[in-house]
């Protein structure tokens, strides 16, 4: 098929490891002709704010055609509402058989509706990443943007859309309560990992190389965490818990970028313990090597796309228990934090470090069931099914 991905709800960085990168990549591998239309926004290199690039077209090395389009005007309101210059003409030129809208929070969905209305054989789907944890955090966002503007947009296109994918149960609840999307239109499409980057046969070799590079002993017990490190990720709690354990063979790898409000404090805290290794931001293709070098992933805060990556890489995980997030436990690979305290994290670290058989069983389940459940190769096929 000719598959068109519309990534118009936020920034887009080429070759990163997000859903809007990997589903198109694997669609190409399955033989489809794939185009991505997106904005001129990119996440900045230091992960603080957005950068703008020049509009235009190019072919990615992964096989997709990438089209970046300008906003209708260079104006904060226009950018907030996500109105674009020439979007309808670009869609019409691509003449797709299948359209996947990544996100349903852009006003120019009216132009997608116009195209599908004029081309009724086109199969249209969308997904929703918004939940109460990451959206509608203030009065304006909840009542003006989501409950009025985006709800109006969604309802306008509703008769023409075949299904709306929810990346987690929390997103489904949000979509039903805020946008009025009925359950029968919803299907789950979980986030995942780039399984081309995961090679279990080379894991031990990768483990030795990365540990040597970081000055970590081959027998050390290594915990990894990372991502977009805002206050809600509770990285400080993890660091404080780690520091309560004096074991010199215990190491903590942190990657990603701290939000400005906590950055200085966190870097100062990390400097106080030489067993903690802070790597900064890692390119998506390289992060899997650091997972392979680790024994355990711990994520004590809000949901991150990294949870599925770590699981798919065959790594046991300890994460905060959120309503609707139980799906990350595919049969025993995951342990949940329910108290939300550093003492609870200490107990989990001690339990898993001192009981290698428990850890081994969790790893085995992650390598098998977790790899299968969160492979983007499988998810990409599910995403463009027309039945």
């Amino acid at each position: 098929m000719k598959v068109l991905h519309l990534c118009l709800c936020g920034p887009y960085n080429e070759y990163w490891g997000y859903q809007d990168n990997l589903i198109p990549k694997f669609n190409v591998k399955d033989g489809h002709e794939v185009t991505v239309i997106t904005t001129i926004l990119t996440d900045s290199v230091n992960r603080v704010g957005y950068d703008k690039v020049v509009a235009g077209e190019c072919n990615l090395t992964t096989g997709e055609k990438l089209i970046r389009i300008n906003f209708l005007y260079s104006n904060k309101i226009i950018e907030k509402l996500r109105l674009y210059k020439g979007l309808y003409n670009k869609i019409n030129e691509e003449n797709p058989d299948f359209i996947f809208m990544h996100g349903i929070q852009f006003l120019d969905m009216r132009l997608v509706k116009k195209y599908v209305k004029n081309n009724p054989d086109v199969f249209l789907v969308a997904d929703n990443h918004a939940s109460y944890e990451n959206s509608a955090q203030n009065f304006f966002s909840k009542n003006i943007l989501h409950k009025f503007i985006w709800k109006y947009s969604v309802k306008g296109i509703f008769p023409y859309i075949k299904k709306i994918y929810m990346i987690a149960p929390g997103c489904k609840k949000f979509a039903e309560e805020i946008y009025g999307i009925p359950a029968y239109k919803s299907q789950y499409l979980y986030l995942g990992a780039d399984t081309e980057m995961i090679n279990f046969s080379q894991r031990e070799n990768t483990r030795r190389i990365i540990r040597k590079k970081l000055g970590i002993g081959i027998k050390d017990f290594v915990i990894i965490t990372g991502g977009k490190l805002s206050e809600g990720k509770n990285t400080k709690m993890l660091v404080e818990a780690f520091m309560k354990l004096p074991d010199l063979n215990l190491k903590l790898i942190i990657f990603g970028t701290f939000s400005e409000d906590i950055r200085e404090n966190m870097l100062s805290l990390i400097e106080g313990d030489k067993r903690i290794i802070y790597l900064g931001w890692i390119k998506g293709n390289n992060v899997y090597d650091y997972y392979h070098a680790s024994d355990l992933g711990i994520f004590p805060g809000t949901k991150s796309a990294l949870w599925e990556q770590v699981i798919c890489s065959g790594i046991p995980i300890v994460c905060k228990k959120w309503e609707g997030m139980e799906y990350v436990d595919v049969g025993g690979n995951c342990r949940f934090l329910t108290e939300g305290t550093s003492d609870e994290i200490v107990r989990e670290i001690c339990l898993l470090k001192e009981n290698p058989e428990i850890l081994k069983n969790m790893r085995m389940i992650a390598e098998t069931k977790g790899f299968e459940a969160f492979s983007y190769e499988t998810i990409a096929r599910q995403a463009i099914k027309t039945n």
Side-chain angles (χ1 to χ4, degrees), residues 242-297:
F242 181 85
M243 288 178 168
K244 292 179 180 180
L245 297 166
D247 189 343
L248 294 178
N249 292 324
L250 196 60
K251 301 294 191 300
L252 173 61
I253 295 174
I254 302 174
F255 68 92
T257 303
F258 292 106
S259 58
E260 285 299 300
D261 57 328
I262 64 170
R263 177 178 171 80
E264 187 176 339
N265 180 260
M266 285 304 306
L267 293 179
S268 176
L269 186 63
I270 288 169
E271 288 176 3
D273 194 321
K274 301 301 181 185
R275 300 171 302 159
I276 303 176
I277 301 164
Y278 176 56
L279 301 174
W281 190 254
I282 303 174
K283 288 185 178 180
N285 289 349
N286 298 329
V287 70
Y288 294 93
D289 290 344
Y290 293 91
Y291 296 150
H292 286 324
S294 305
D295 298 294
L296 176 67

Side-chain angles (χ1 to χ4, degrees), residues 210-363:
I210 295 296
R211 287 191 173 212
K212 183 177 180 181
K213 174 184 173 182
L214 299 179
I216 296 173
I218 201 66
K219 293 185 177 180
D220 285 348
F221 189 88
V222 179
I223 299 164
I224 192 166
T225 196
K228 298 177 182 178
L229 300 170
S230 61
E231 186 175 4
K233 292 295 190 290
N234 288 338
T235 313
K236 182 179 180 182
M237 183 189 299
L238 172 58
V239 170
E240 289 173 343
F242 181 85
M243 288 178 168
K244 292 179 180 180
L245 297 166
D247 189 343
L248 294 178
N249 292 324
L250 196 60
K251 301 294 191 300
L252 173 61
I253 295 174
I254 302 174
F255 68 92
T257 303
F258 292 106
S259 58
E260 285 299 300
D261 57 328
I262 64 170
R263 177 178 171 80
E264 187 176 339
N265 180 260
M266 285 304 306
L267 293 179
S268 176
L269 186 63
I270 288 169
E271 288 176 3
D273 194 321
K274 301 301 181 185
R275 300 171 302 159
I276 303 176
I277 301 164
Y278 176 56
L279 301 174
W281 190 254
I282 303 174
K283 288 185 178 180
N285 289 349
N286 298 329
V287 70
Y288 294 93
D289 290 344
Y290 293 91
Y291 296 150
H292 286 324
S294 305
D295 298 294
L296 176 67
I298 300 184
F299 298 89
T302 53
K303 175 69 173 64
S304 166
L306 300 184
W307 294 15
E308 287 89 348
Q309 288 183 1
V310 172
I311 295 166
C312 203
S313 300
I315 305 301
I317 186 173
V318 173
C319 56
K320 172 73 173 176
K321 186 168 187 177
W322 294 98
E323 182 183 355
M325 295 300 173
E326 294 83 359
Y327 70 91
V328 297
D329 183 358
V330 293
N333 62 294
C334 176
R335 292 179 62 86
F336 291 107
L337 300 168
T338 57
E339 297 173 11
T341 65
S342 61
D343 285 342
E344 184 182 20
I345 297 173
V346 168
R347 291 197 301 270
E348 289 296 324
I349 294 173
C350 291
L351 172 71
L352 296 174
K353 185 176 184 298
E354 295 167 8
N355 293 274
E357 285 303 314
I358 296 177
L359 198 70
K360 182 180 178 181
N361 185 60
M362 292 176 70
R363 185 183 303 117

Side-chain angles (χ1 to χ4, degrees), residues 3 30 50 57 66-67 72 100 105 145 155 177 195 220 230 264 280 286 291 296 312 335 339:
V3 180
D30 281 340
Y50 301 142
E57 300 182 12
L66 178 67
I67 301 173
L72 192 58
F100 188 132
Q105 296 82 19
L145 273 181
K155 286 201 167 184
E177 294 179 357
T195 42
D220 285 348
S230 61
E264 187 176 339
N286 298 329
Y291 296 150
L296 176 67
C312 203
R335 292 179 62 86
E339 297 173 11

Side-chain angles (χ1 to χ4, degrees), residues 17-288:
Y18 290 132
Q19 184 214 50
D20 48 7
N21 303 105
L22 295 178
I23 290 181
K25 169 186 167 178
F26 281 106
N27 289 161
V28 171
K29 288 187 172 295
D30 281 340
H32 302 289
E33 184 180 340
V34 180
T35 299
V36 176
I37 297 180
T38 189
T39 75
I40 58 170
L41 297 179
T42 65
D43 275 307
S44 61
V45 175
N46 62 6
R47 304 295 297 168
V48 179
Y50 301 142
D51 293 327
K52 289 184 178 180
V53 297
V54 178
E57 300 182 12
C58 68
N59 292 314
L60 302 181
T61 59
T62 42
E64 308 97 297
K65 178 181 180 181
L66 178 67
I67 301 173
R68 289 191 182 271
I69 58 175
N70 281 309
F71 290 102
L72 192 58
Y73 303 108
S74 183
N75 176 289
K76 285 186 177 181
I77 295 175
I78 295 297
E79 292 182 12
K80 192 74 172 177
L81 295 176
R82 294 150 188 168
L83 294 165
Y84 297 97
K85 186 179 294 184
L87 176 60
Y88 184 84
N89 289 339
K90 288 296 182 185
I91 297 174
N92 201 46
E93 288 170 11
E94 292 306 310
N95 189 30
D97 305 307
F98 191 105
I99 299 176
F100 188 132
M101 296 190 301
H102 293 258
I104 49 178
Q105 296 82 19
F106 66 107
L107 209 52
D108 265 355
M109 278 200 298
R110 61 195 174 89
L111 300 179
V112 183
K113 169 188 170 180
K114 177 182 175 182
Y115 181 80
V116 176
K117 190 175 180 179
N118 292 337
N119 298 271
D121 290 335
V122 174
F123 200 95
L124 174 65
V125 303
D127 69 5
N128 173 50
H129 296 241
S131 69
Y132 288 110
E133 282 71 43
N134 61 24
S135 304
Q137 299 294 298
N138 56 53
F139 179 86
F140 176 81
S141 177
K142 182 176 181 179
N143 294 285
I144 306 301
L145 273 181
H146 287 279
K147 278 194 168 184
F148 181 68
I149 297 175
W150 303 146
K151 182 176 181 179
Y152 170 81
S153 296
V154 171
K155 286 201 167 184
I157 203 169
F158 197 74
Y160 305 95
I161 199 163
K162 296 296 193 294
K163 48 191 169 184
I164 301 177
Y165 293 122
M166 305 297 170
I167 66 162
C171 298
K172 185 174 186 292
K173 179 180 179 181
F174 184 90
E176 289 174 355
E177 294 179 357
I178 299 295
Y179 304 138
I181 295 174
Y184 73 86
K185 278 280 187 180
S186 299
Q187 289 186 20
Y188 284 118
L189 189 77
Y190 297 129
L191 301 179
D194 186 349
T195 42
E196 286 195 332
M197 299 294 112
I198 300 170
N199 187 338
F200 291 135
S201 67
Q202 291 295 315
R203 178 170 54 191
E204 290 305 315
N205 186 50
T206 301
R207 182 182 179 92
R208 284 193 295 271
I209 292 171
I210 295 296
R211 287 191 173 212
K212 183 177 180 181
K213 174 184 173 182
L214 299 179
I216 296 173
I218 201 66
K219 293 185 177 180
D220 285 348
F221 189 88
V222 179
I223 299 164
I224 192 166
T225 196
K228 298 177 182 178
L229 300 170
S230 61
E231 186 175 4
K233 292 295 190 290
N234 288 338
T235 313
K236 182 179 180 182
M237 183 189 299
L238 172 58
V239 170
E240 289 173 343
F242 181 85
M243 288 178 168
K244 292 179 180 180
L245 297 166
D247 189 343
L248 294 178
N249 292 324
L250 196 60
K251 301 294 191 300
L252 173 61
I253 295 174
I254 302 174
F255 68 92
T257 303
F258 292 106
S259 58
E260 285 299 300
D261 57 328
I262 64 170
R263 177 178 171 80
E264 187 176 339
N265 180 260
M266 285 304 306
L267 293 179
S268 176
L269 186 63
I270 288 169
E271 288 176 3
D273 194 321
K274 301 301 181 185
R275 300 171 302 159
I276 303 176
I277 301 164
Y278 176 56
L279 301 174
W281 190 254
I282 303 174
K283 288 185 178 180
N285 289 349
N286 298 329
V287 70
Y288 294 93

